[in-house]
Amino acid sequence: MALIEVRGLRKSFGDHEVLKGIDLAVEERQVVCVIGPSGCGKSTLLRCLTRLVEPTGGAVLLDGVDVTRGDADIRLARERFVTVFQAFNLFPHLTAEDNISLPLRRVLRVPREEAAARARETLARVGLAEKAAAYPGQLSGGQQQRVAIARAIAMRPKAVLFDEPTSALDPELTGEVLRVMRELARSGMTMVVVTHEMGFAREVADRVVFMDAGRVVEEGPPAQVLVEPREPRTREFLRRHLGRAAEG
């Protein structure tokens, strides 16, 4: 049984259908990267997984539980399938350690000392042990995103969902975050990553999913989708995207 299974997922905003029947399965310990042009529905798909955006139709099963059912415990699903966003969403008045330990105490009811210890442990894991007492305003964008990743993995989730985690960062800071994500992948963390970082997808992903206009156009191993894509639309996207990257 797949850890994450999406069946015929649809989402409309008014008359605009953003997702047009998405099917997707993610096995435990897999890294799946979702790529595609802006506006194709990538982020909407990710947000529908934990009903941060309510699907219009279809089903999402997380660890065998249909979270689209009306009686689903969506709070529990969000504890086990944690999202890291483009914006860091840190509390500016709390230190890095407290930004991580607060949800452990409030959501998981972890005792204060244990939560603080887990926060320090995960900060060390993302290379920020020395920043435990720093406030977000004292950290670079890359450091803030690494704190957000530490906050996610401190929850000890079944999977981490990344919604374009580096798109707000400059190239140097992007490298910091991608290094942490590579290490998470090597450790066996199940990850679904919406990204425009083709090099990361090629290196780390078990599968790459190319979306366009609300549909999955092509999916498969990185060597197939990114190097020898079968679909003309995939080839066109990669040609344009890689061309822009070379210009930059």
Side-chain angles (χ1 to χ4, degrees):
M1 180 181 67
L3 185 62
I4 300 171
E5 186 174 359
V6 179
R7 301 174 180 169
L9 188 67
R10 295 182 175 275
K11 175 60 185 178
S12 295
F13 294 97
D15 294 333
H16 179 46
E17 190 173 31
V18 177
L19 300 179
K20 303 173 182 178
I22 300 291
D23 295 313
L24 180 68
V26 181
E27 304 292 336
E28 194 168 2
R29 301 177 70 87
Q30 271 193 338
V31 177
V32 174
C33 286
V34 183
I35 65 171
S38 297
C40 72
K42 305 184 301 293
S43 292
T44 300
L45 167 63
L46 201 73
R47 290 165 184 251
C48 281
L49 296 183
T50 55
R51 280 175 49 195
L52 293 170
V53 169
E54 288 289 343
T56 305
V60 176
L61 281 72
L62 301 181
D63 202 15
V65 176
D66 185 351
V67 298
T68 57
R69 288 171 54 102
D71 59 352
D73 188 345
I74 196 62
R75 179 190 61 82
L76 183 61
R78 289 173 184 166
E79 291 172 11
R80 294 177 176 172
F81 295 81
V82 181
T83 304
V84 175
F85 297 98
Q86 174 182 336
F88 319 125
N89 296 331
L90 301 178
F91 292 110
H93 63 290
L94 297 180
T95 64
E97 179 181 316
D98 288 340
N99 263 285
I100 298 167
S101 64
L102 181 65
L104 295 176
R105 301 198 317 266
R106 294 277 179 87
V107 178
L108 299 185
R109 305 298 181 190
V110 175
R112 180 178 293 272
E113 289 186 8
E114 181 183 342
R118 199 188 294 187
R120 290 191 294 271
E121 173 190 325
T122 52
L123 280 170
R125 188 173 174 183
V126 301
L128 291 174
E130 76 286 358
K131 298 294 185 180
Y135 290 89
Q138 299 171 315
L139 301 174
S140 70
Q143 289 170 333
Q144 290 185 61
Q145 189 62 291
R146 283 189 281 161
V147 172
I149 293 173
R151 179 176 57 191
I153 62 178
M155 301 288 284
R156 296 177 181 169
K158 289 183 174 288
V160 181
L161 315 175
F162 291 89
D163 189 4
E164 302 205 43
T166 62
S167 61
L169 304 176
D170 66 36
E172 182 178 355
L173 301 182
T174 291
E176 297 177 6
V177 174
L178 294 181
R179 279 193 293 274
V180 170
M181 293 173 66
R182 287 188 187 96
E183 179 55 39
L184 281 181
R186 283 192 289 266
S187 74
M189 175 65 72
T190 306
M191 298 161 58
V192 181
V193 185
V194 169
T195 185
H196 59 273
E197 298 290 341
M198 299 300 136
F200 173 83
R202 187 163 48 246
E203 177 187 351
V204 176
D206 297 293
R207 287 202 346 275
V208 173
V209 175
F210 171 63
M211 288 182 61
D212 188 36
R215 302 182 190 277
V216 172
V217 175
E218 184 167 1
E219 66 175 298
Q224 181 244 300
V225 176
L226 298 178
V227 180
E228 296 182 347
R230 298 190 182 103
E231 298 296 328
R233 183 65 187 95
T234 314
R235 291 196 293 270
E236 179 189 0
F237 168 77
L238 290 172
R239 178 179 57 79
R240 291 184 176 181
H241 185 89
L242 296 176
R244 285 197 302 270
E247 291 171 7

